[in-house]
Amino acid sequence: MGKKILLTGGLGYIGSHTAVELIQEGYDPIILDNLANSRPEVLQQIERITQQKISFFQGDVRDAKILQTIFSTNSIEGVIHFAALKSVGESVQQPLKYFDVNVGGLTQLLQVMQDSQVDKLVFSSSCTVYGQPTEGWAVSETTPLQEPMSPYGRTKRMNEDMIRDVCQTGHLSAVILRYFNPVGAHPSGLIGELPIGVPANLVPFLTQAVAGIRGPLTVFGNDYPTPDGTCIRDYIHVVDLAKAHVGALSFQTQRLIPEVFNVGTGKGSSVLEVISAFERATGMVVPLQMGSKRPGDVMAVFANAQKIQEKLKWEPVYSLDDMMAHAWNWQKNQG
Ligand code: NAD
Ligand code: WQD
């Protein structure tokens, strides 16, 4: 059996793809998830892809007892902490819920890790901590962070600061991954993104619009000062993102400070470019309408991904067309 890695939130979108990649690299993932935003069937799908049985604990990362049980009955080498709430809009309506789960969850996890003398952490942060960069649209890990635009963004910023402080005690060795915009699905079509309710994110809304589940896709603003007037983001295939976690786990950090990596392709794409890529990759037509700007949207941001390429020897392999083809393949499998 390989090294045991605890994945909190491991049945979610990014966690499930990471579980697959870890198994394929010889690790033995253990999943803790309370199913707040995922379905139990995901576990069987991961097992189907990998042909391996996975230990699963249904429970909450804020629950010290279940964490203690997991750590005392397994020799855990490291933790990847995905479990969090991630809806920007909901966080504005219910900030306390976000502080409770995202800040409280990490606090509890770090406490039990410390008590159990497990010191390796990989943390899911977000490009949201950069806000709208003021000098160019590409951001590197040293670009100054902006005041968070939502309570969700604030929790990620607070989480990064908490990790930084705990590293200073010498009891934690942490890698912080700042994800850009993860999209797409596993090429098998067996796991992917399945948001509950009306999707707020571009690609799941787009695929559901094409499938006829939703009305037309609204492009949120086409008069931004960008080449085609629509917003620019760094879309990254979820399998490429998942692979970055494998590298992060074996990365030797300097003691006392967390290592931060941007995880993006380094390439910005506009909303209209995403739509064209989808139509090209699938042969389908996207029903769409132009709409007004979405409040709080960043106009343009993408990763400077040099550091992760150099230090983790990580390179994304999938193109935007692949991301769209796989997202559609997954959507078609959803009944
Ligand atoms: P997701 O909602 O699909 O996965 C999160 C998982 O955590 C879900 O399975 C959910 O059931 C579980 N969970 C939530 N609260 C929990 C709790 N209290 N105890 C145990 N499990 C709990 O989201 P995702 O897209 O896979 O995101 C994973 C992580 O990456 C999150 O921390 C998110 O903030 C971060 N992130 C996501 C994106 C994105 O666009 N998807 C971008 C940047 C960062
Ligand atoms: C992408 C682009 C929209 C929907 C969010 C979070 C961020 C991170 C990733 C977690 C934007 C446009 C969207 C639609 C549209 N998550 N759009 N019509 O806003 O970059 O980032 O997810 O950490 O924190 O804020 O992602 O997918 O919502 O939007 O035109 O129906 O698509 O304006 O330009 P975003 P998104």
Side-chain angles (χ1 to χ4, degrees):
M1 266 299 178
K3 289 181 180 171
K4 289 188 178 180
I5 306 296
L6 174 63
L7 309 191
T8 70
L11 291 190
Y13 176 45
I14 303 167
S16 57
H17 289 82
T18 303
V20 169
E21 296 308 313
L22 286 176
I23 291 170
Q24 288 171 349
E25 292 298 323
Y27 286 96
D28 184 10
I30 296 175
I31 292 178
L32 168 68
D33 201 301
N34 70 352
L35 305 177
N37 195 34
S38 51
R39 295 162 183 77
E41 302 80 69
V42 175
L43 185 67
Q44 282 85 56
Q45 300 294 61
I46 301 170
E47 292 179 340
R48 223 173 121 189
I49 296 170
T50 60
Q51 296 293 306
Q52 193 161 307
K53 201 92 195 112
I54 294 166
S55 314
F56 173 59
F57 293 82
Q58 182 173 341
D60 199 298
V61 72
R62 291 164 295 175
D63 177 356
K65 278 215 179 66
I66 194 156
L67 287 174
Q68 283 153 357
T69 303
I70 295 171
F71 281 90
S72 62
T73 53
N74 293 281
S75 152
I76 306 270
E77 298 268 344
V79 179
I80 310 182
H81 182 46
F82 297 102
L85 300 177
K86 64 163 181 177
S87 163
V88 173
E90 186 187 56
S91 81
V92 175
Q93 303 303 321
Q94 301 181 61
L96 292 176
K97 184 171 161 186
Y98 277 68
F99 292 129
D100 185 10
V101 175
N102 296 8
V103 180
L106 178 64
T107 309
Q108 192 58 260
L109 175 68
L110 290 174
Q111 182 65 59
V112 178
M113 283 176 71
Q114 188 172 308
D115 297 345
S116 316
Q117 287 165 356
V118 173
D119 70 352
K120 181 119 208 83
L121 176 75
V122 177
F123 175 69
S124 304
S125 189
S126 166
C127 65
T128 194
V129 297
Y130 293 114
Q132 176 61 63
T134 49
E135 314 224 329
W137 296 340
V139 287
S140 79
E141 292 79 358
T142 53
T143 299
L145 305 184
Q146 305 282 335
E147 188 59 22
M149 312 246 297
S150 68
Y152 167 75
R154 190 176 302 283
T155 66
K156 290 294 169 189
R157 178 70 186 269
M158 289 167 80
N159 287 161
E160 288 199 7
D161 288 343
M162 289 163 67
I163 290 168
R164 210 159 270 121
D165 286 346
V166 178
C167 282
Q168 283 290 315
T169 68
H171 295 298
L172 185 67
S173 160
V175 173
I176 292 173
L177 299 180
R178 291 183 182 149
Y179 311 156
F180 281 67
N181 288 57
V183 297
H186 195 267
S188 65
L190 293 173
I191 51 174
E193 186 173 16
L194 196 53
I196 292 166
V198 182
N201 294 107
L202 176 63
V203 174
F205 195 100
L206 186 159
T207 57
Q208 292 191 11
V210 175
I213 301 166
R214 309 279 163 210
L217 170 70
T218 304
V219 175
F220 294 145
N222 63 347
D223 56 353
Y224 282 100
T226 57
D228 67 16
T230 65
C231 291
I232 291 177
R233 297 287 185 276
D234 188 337
Y235 296 93
I236 171 157
H237 196 293
V238 65
V239 171
D240 282 329
L241 173 60
K243 287 182 200 290
H245 295 78
V246 181
L249 269 179
S250 52
F251 184 77
Q252 280 302 317
T253 61
Q254 283 180 285
R255 267 339 262 191
L256 307 180
I257 26 177
E259 197 73 36
V260 180
F261 292 106
N262 283 344
V263 200
T265 62
K267 192 174 169 296
S269 304
S270 72
V271 178
L272 294 180
E273 283 171 334
V274 170
I275 294 167
S276 304
F278 183 89
E279 294 188 335
R280 191 166 54 233
T282 65
M284 305 294 290
V285 173
V286 179
L288 68 112
Q289 60 191 22
M290 294 301 155
S292 46
K293 290 179 176 151
R294 180 170 64 176
D297 251 345
V298 162
M299 170 182 58
V301 64
F302 53 90
N304 172 332
Q306 230 178 324
K307 184 179 174 193
I308 189 166
Q309 289 174 8
E310 283 169 15
K311 292 209 177 185
L312 294 191
K313 307 283 172 243
W314 171 92
E315 289 266 10
V317 302
Y318 291 108
S319 67
L320 189 59
D321 287 31
D322 296 329
M323 301 177 209
M324 296 301 120
H326 294 160
W328 180 235
N329 184 36
W330 159 250
Q331 178 67 56
K332 282 191 297 183
N333 287 343
Q334 305 314 304

